[in-house]
Amino acid sequence: MARKKKKKGGGLTLILLIIPAALIVLPTTILFGIGMIPTIVAYVVDRDPDKSAPITVGGLNFCGCMPFAIDLWKHQHTIGAAAKVFADPLAWLVMYSAAAVGWGLYYGIPPLVAGMEVTRAEKRVEVLKQKKVALVQEWGPDVAGDYFDESGGMEPDAEMEGA
């Protein structure tokens, strides 16, 4: 198999493109740099190699920052206008509450889905037990391959009798 060659200078090229772009739109860069701090924290604390916490938190955090960025673009795109955004407590509340909703989804959805899957599996087991009981009643206990009582459970001392 042929080895893939690593690209050299990819990070340097990225930095050389991002820094000038960030300086051109400096007020927006400041807005997102400060507003997206919860996403940076999520990236640092997430040990999962897939980094699902920063994706979840970051998406909602970005949505919380976006109305203020649009307002910045519509009116005055200056550092003073960005400072006015950060002087407004409502802006902080919206940006960081959106990130908090992201954290809530990150921690809330997996247990919810797991609980639903357990419930679904338990219902399936009950249906299969009922079908097994019906088969045993119709065809006799030899169909089950082991000894079961009418409720679908093992008979006491059934293992001892078979030995």
Side-chain angles (χ1 to χ4, degrees):
M1 286 194 339
R3 288 188 175 180
K4 291 183 180 180
K5 291 185 179 181
K6 279 189 170 182
K7 285 187 176 181
K8 294 184 180 178
L12 181 62
T13 305
L14 186 66
I15 290 172
L16 290 175
L17 291 174
I18 287 181
I19 290 177
L23 291 174
I24 291 171
V25 290
L26 189 59
T28 304
T29 303
I30 292 169
L31 179 80
F32 280 106
I34 294 172
M36 298 287 285
I37 288 175
T39 302
I40 296 167
V41 170
Y43 185 81
V44 170
V45 299
D46 190 15
R47 294 183 180 172
D48 184 19
D50 295 334
K51 295 290 187 188
S52 54
I55 292 169
T56 307
V57 174
L60 288 166
N61 192 197
F62 181 79
C63 290
C65 293
M66 204 59 201
F68 303 103
I70 291 171
D71 190 46
L72 198 64
W73 299 335
K74 277 185 173 180
H75 298 100
Q76 290 180 331
H77 194 251
T78 63
I79 294 175
K84 284 183 184 178
V85 169
F86 290 118
D88 183 14
L90 182 64
W92 289 96
L93 181 69
V94 170
M95 289 187 278
Y96 288 179
S97 294
V101 170
W103 278 113
L105 291 175
Y106 176 73
Y107 283 115
I109 289 182
L112 182 70
V113 170
M116 288 172 31
E117 286 296 316
V118 166
T119 303
R120 190 176 135 263
E122 288 171 349
K123 285 180 183 177
R124 179 76 177 139
V125 166
E126 284 302 315
V127 167
L128 290 173
K129 279 185 180 179
Q130 290 171 0
K131 286 182 180 181
K132 186 174 187 178
V133 167
L135 284 172
V136 168
Q137 287 174 348
E138 185 176 341
W139 292 92
D142 293 337
V143 159
D146 47 21
Y147 296 96
F148 282 86
D149 62 9
E150 295 300 314
S151 68
M154 292 284 288
E155 289 182 0
D157 299 327
E159 293 176 284
M160 300 303 259
E161 291 174 14

